[in-house]
Amino acid sequence: MKTWTTKQRYATYDTYSKKELDRLQKLQRDSKWHLAYHLQPKSGLMNDPNGFTYINGEWRLAYQNFPFGPVHGLKSWENLVSNDLQNWRYIGSGLQPHAPYSMQGVYSGSGLAQGERQFLMYTGNVRTEDGGRISTQLGAWVEPDGELHELSQPLISGQPNGYTAHFRDPQILERDGRYYAILGAQREDKRGTILVYSAERPEGPWQLDGHWTLALIASVT
């Protein structure tokens, strides 16, 4: 089995050739372990489900994918739709890692129907030279035809004072005309916390409303 270095895991997608990707996808299709029913990626790693939304008469779902190996590497989102939650149709790639806020991966997030458009709120990951990370909460609109428009500015640019960069995976919801985002976070004392933000519009500005501290000591990796 191949041993992946950190450099290989986070190499940009253009490092790989189309020929290599085609080879990996063929290996998966031809494998005797290929699933006949459950969702699975065309190749590589399948990770967290994201952006699960019912909109315009169909269910939309994305999942994190590192297409070049069965390891946690540079993650993007792949998109599927369904009319019945049993039969799913692949509709192409979604959010992709890029500068300046998601160079080392598009992390998890959620979706919300807004009329005929879908709003996505998600975490961008950047790794620093000293091995640390920068977590930024980002937003994007998805048009009815699937066209993606990422917001140029972050929704939440950094974690509050007293928290580490383990600050990610927003769940967005709407209640009584106001928008809320629930995020997992880690305090500097390593305690797990849920942070609650709110805004008048999906694009923000977002404000920190409070937190719920978990009883257990969490070591988030």
Side-chain angles (χ1 to χ4, degrees):
M1 180 177 291
K2 177 179 178 179
T3 299
W4 290 76
T5 66
T6 299
K7 183 177 180 180
Q8 289 172 326
R9 290 171 186 258
Y10 290 97
T12 57
Y13 288 2
D14 58 11
T15 304
Y16 300 87
S17 67
K18 183 179 183 303
K19 182 178 180 180
E20 173 65 5
L21 183 59
D22 290 343
R23 183 186 72 83
L24 292 171
Q25 291 180 352
K26 184 177 187 302
L27 282 174
Q28 202 262 37
R29 287 194 307 271
D30 295 344
S31 170
K32 68 177 182 179
W33 307 114
H34 185 88
L35 300 177
Y37 183 76
H38 295 287
L39 299 178
Q40 65 182 44
K42 290 185 174 182
S43 64
L45 176 80
M46 181 186 222
N47 205 45
D48 301 350
N50 293 296
F52 189 45
T53 309
Y54 184 74
I55 184 170
N56 300 332
E58 64 184 13
W59 297 94
R60 292 186 186 175
L61 177 67
Y63 62 85
Q64 285 182 324
N65 180 224
F66 175 59
F68 301 104
V71 295
H72 287 278
L74 187 62
K75 296 183 179 76
S76 55
W77 284 19
E78 295 293 304
N79 295 326
L80 304 127
V81 296
S82 174
N83 294 319
D84 58 11
L85 295 178
Q86 290 185 329
N87 300 289
W88 291 87
R89 176 169 53 90
Y90 174 77
I91 57 171
S93 298
L95 295 166
Q96 299 292 304
H98 62 78
Y101 302 114
S102 59
M103 291 186 293
Q104 277 72 51
V106 181
Y107 277 19
S108 291
S110 55
L112 188 67
Q114 295 288 278
E116 294 187 345
R117 296 197 296 170
Q118 181 189 32
F119 187 77
L120 301 177
M121 187 174 186
Y122 58 98
T123 301
N125 180 55
V126 173
R127 301 303 296 262
T128 60
E129 291 185 359
D130 61 1
R133 74 175 70 235
I134 301 171
S135 297
T136 307
Q137 313 312 317
L138 306 172
W141 286 102
V142 183
E143 301 296 334
D145 63 0
E147 185 175 357
L148 181 69
H149 301 286
E150 297 180 45
L151 302 186
S152 60
Q153 297 300 314
L155 300 177
I156 305 172
S157 58
Q159 69 270 21
N161 292 334
Y163 290 84
T164 75
H166 291 295
F167 166 68
R168 57 180 181 261
D169 306 349
Q171 176 67 48
I172 187 173
L173 55 95
E174 181 182 1
R175 181 179 175 85
D176 298 330
R178 190 164 181 82
Y179 296 86
Y180 296 89
I182 302 169
L183 289 98
Q186 182 192 62
R187 296 180 63 89
E188 290 178 348
D189 63 5
K190 307 302 183 183
R191 297 183 70 190
T193 303
I194 296 172
L195 297 178
V196 182
Y197 286 78
S198 70
E200 293 182 356
R201 303 183 306 139
E203 300 96 329
W206 288 85
Q207 67 181 40
L208 177 62
D209 286 352
H211 68 272
W212 301 321
T213 301
L214 306 182
L216 299 178
I217 302 299
S219 178
V220 182
T221 57

